Amino acid sequence: MIRISPTLALNNLMKQREASQMPVYKLGFGQSPFPVPNQMVEALKSHAYRKDYVHTQGIIELRQAISHYYQQQFSVSSYAEDIIVGPGSKELIFLAQLALNRSLLLPRPSWVSYEPQANLLGLSTYWVDTNSDQDWKLDPARLEVFLRAHLKEEFVIILNYPGNPTGAVYSESELQALVKVFSQYGVIVISDEIYAEFTFDKKHLSIATLYPEHTIVCSGLSKWCGAGGWRLGYMIFPQEMNDIKAKVIQAGSETYSCAATPIQLAAQVAFEHGEDIQQYTSSCKSILKQAHDLVHATLDQTKLKMRPSQGGFYGLLEFDPSLYPFDTNQALCRDLLKDTGVAVLHGSAFGFASDQLIARLAYVDFDGAYLLQHPHTLRHGLAKIKEAVQKLNEWR
């Protein structure tokens, strides 16, 4: 049975409540609250007449801009021919799984769509548990135990950090320890770096700088440019994986043909990363960090816990089962929404067992456009998030 993505299903439910004039606090759906930078909007307008198909791999000038951007920002070396541009990173991850044709390995928890994509392709998915006391990060020792027990399988792992749903970020030493295990067992990494510009306290470090021959970097415009609906993503392949890249291009040519031409041309503005875009990104990150800090400071950690996030939009809520008598996290989230209007996404969407009372909170229910223009009103602008957390504290 094919299901709708849980995040999209939750968004539809919130829209239904709004249409019925019912209160809703949107802490479930992780859409960027910020507008697309005006420079990109103007560029899109100026290229709207461009109607021709372009190469499936993407416009060369955009791929050159992405290559330069990743070298300057994250020290990831590549050439334009190593990059594929497509209609969103989600589509490209799906096609990469198709081309690799390996079993999928995921840290538990992981983003909602990785496993369903593998299921659609008839590929096996295996999970490696993580713990909250390790900030939900993959433990090399536990990973090695798993891989040693599955020597006959070839794996690709999707590593997403800053993490959705955890907000976790890996340090250089933590990545080095993982790379040692990946290398020993021939694991290919798809590094989903969609939140890389929103690492709070330090610069993002791509695992591709430590494990270049076996890492595919994936990202897009949806988070750091607030352009989810533009559907513009990209992948950077190591030259050692040119055969996989060629298969993805072939699959793209038979499915989406090319990413929308005007959007590709407008995206160049983002990757040229001029001063205005840098200021936009810095301001967005600052607001997100303060939204996170407000949530963490307001939350009653005697009733439900949330590990501090290190980047992105999210944190995981752990509900004390002695205080919240629910059989499943789905039922908990359903009643929470019905009783308070607070929408969070149930943990089973991310790989947790249904009886684990865990949910993802997205701290993005604010008017990002207004706060970018009026940063001095931040306390007022984030008031709805604080109110939502207070309702969480009071519930039950």
Side-chain angles (χ1 to χ4, degrees), residues 15-33:
K15 287 180 178 178
Q16 290 171 17
R17 284 182 64 89
E18 286 183 313
S20 301
Q21 305 298 310
M22 300 173 72
V24 60
Y25 299 87
K26 301 176 183 178
L27 306 186
F29 189 58
Q31 179 168 289
S32 169

Side-chain angles (χ1 to χ4, degrees), residues 46-61:
S46 69
H47 292 294
Y49 72 95
R50 297 288 295 270
K51 67 182 184 65
D52 294 337
Y53 290 102
V54 294
H55 195 284
T56 299
Q57 190 170 355
I59 293 170
I60 181 67
E61 292 82 3

Side-chain angles (χ1 to χ4, degrees), residues 92-106 113-127 153-158 190 244:
L92 292 174
I93 290 171
F94 178 75
L95 294 183
Q97 288 202 63
L98 170 69
L100 287 163
N101 195 33
R102 288 178 166 226
S103 295
L104 177 63
L105 186 58
L106 293 175
S113 288
Y114 301 143
E115 183 187 32
Q117 287 187 354
N119 291 342
L120 287 170
L121 293 167
L123 301 172
S124 299
T125 300
Y126 297 84
W127 296 83
E153 299 237 26
E154 291 186 316
F155 288 102
V156 55
I157 189 168
I158 304 180
I190 296 177
I244 301 300

Side-chain angles (χ1 to χ4, degrees), residues 40-63 85-88 221 229-233 256-269 271:
M40 295 171 61
V41 173
E42 292 302 315
L44 182 59
K45 290 178 182 178
S46 69
H47 292 294
Y49 72 95
R50 297 288 295 270
K51 67 182 184 65
D52 294 337
Y53 290 102
V54 294
H55 195 284
T56 299
Q57 190 170 355
I59 293 170
I60 181 67
E61 292 82 3
L62 174 57
R63 288 186 283 123
V85 174
L221 295 181
W230 282 33
R231 308 313 305 141
L232 195 290
Y256 63 80
S257 296
C258 65
T261 303
I263 287 175
Q264 289 197 56
L265 292 165
Q268 282 181 235
V269 174
F271 293 105

